[in-house]
Amino acid sequence: MLYLDDIAVGMKRSFGGYEVTREEVLAFAEKYDPQPFHLSDEAAAQTHFGRLAASGWHTCAMTMAMFVEHMKLHPQASLGAAGVDDLRWLKPVYPGDVLRCESEVLEVRPSQSRPEMGSVRNSMTTFNQHDEPVLRFTALALMRRRPAD
């Protein structure tokens, strides 16, 4: 189990491998982001995307899915997230792309008022199969400290 006390500024992790499917792009868009360029090849061809593109929110969801899978393999004393800053969609994500993630610890801060926990600020970048960054954000996660047994 990875606790706050085990984390240091500069630590990096690489993980994931998520194939983006046309069916998933359409299903997500129909339910959560029904803009024409997420739903129609013809409409997307008339935009700067040039073809059907995944919603940025879908890209965020795929990134979260990869992160959760990583946490299953490498358990953490997570207490959830406190927020996300500086979210940027850098390049379109298309059906057929294969995504992966890299994170880097920017800050580790034990809580002043709750000694059993603290926070970790991470930079998260999602890349496509060409190693081009498609999404970047800074996440603030809450974590338990190592028990004092």
Side-chain angles (χ1 to χ4, degrees), residues 11 13 15 32 41 44-45 51 57 64 77 81 89 102 106 114 117-118 121-122 126 131 134 144 146-147:
M11 285 177 67
R13 294 179 284 180
F15 54 90
Y32 300 109
D41 293 306
R51 58 189 167 118
W57 296 112
M64 188 65 193
W89 294 296
E102 292 182 4
L106 304 175
R114 308 235 355 235
M117 63 185 285
R121 188 173 302 279
N122 287 291
T126 303
D131 289 328
V134 298
R144 284 189 289 270
R146 184 172 295 287

Side-chain angles (χ1 to χ4, degrees), residues 33-107:
D33 193 354
Q35 297 183 77
F37 43 84
H38 298 317
L39 294 169
S40 161
D41 293 306
E42 295 76 22
Q46 302 304 312
T47 70
H48 67 285
F49 295 118
R51 58 189 167 118
L52 188 72
S55 165
W57 296 112
H58 186 193
T59 305
C60 290
M62 291 183 281
T63 297
M64 188 65 193
M66 287 185 279
F67 182 62
V68 170
E69 283 303 310
H70 176 73
M71 286 194 311
K72 287 179 184 176
L73 297 172
H74 306 279
Q76 299 179 25
S78 174
L79 295 170
V84 170
D85 295 318
D86 305 318
L87 173 65
R88 295 288 180 265
W89 294 296
L90 304 170
K91 287 185 99 46
V93 171
Y94 300 107
D97 283 352
V98 178
L99 306 179
R100 67 177 182 81
C101 299
E102 292 182 4
S103 69
E104 181 177 357
V105 176
L106 304 175
E107 177 183 59

Side-chain angles (χ1 to χ4, degrees), residues 16-25 58 62 66 93-100 127 129:
Y18 195 105
E19 186 171 350
V20 182
T21 68
R22 177 181 177 80
E23 296 75 23
E24 192 174 328
V25 167
H58 186 193
M62 291 183 281
M66 287 185 279
V93 171
Y94 300 107
D97 283 352
V98 178
L99 306 179
R100 67 177 182 81
F127 296 87
Q129 69 277 9

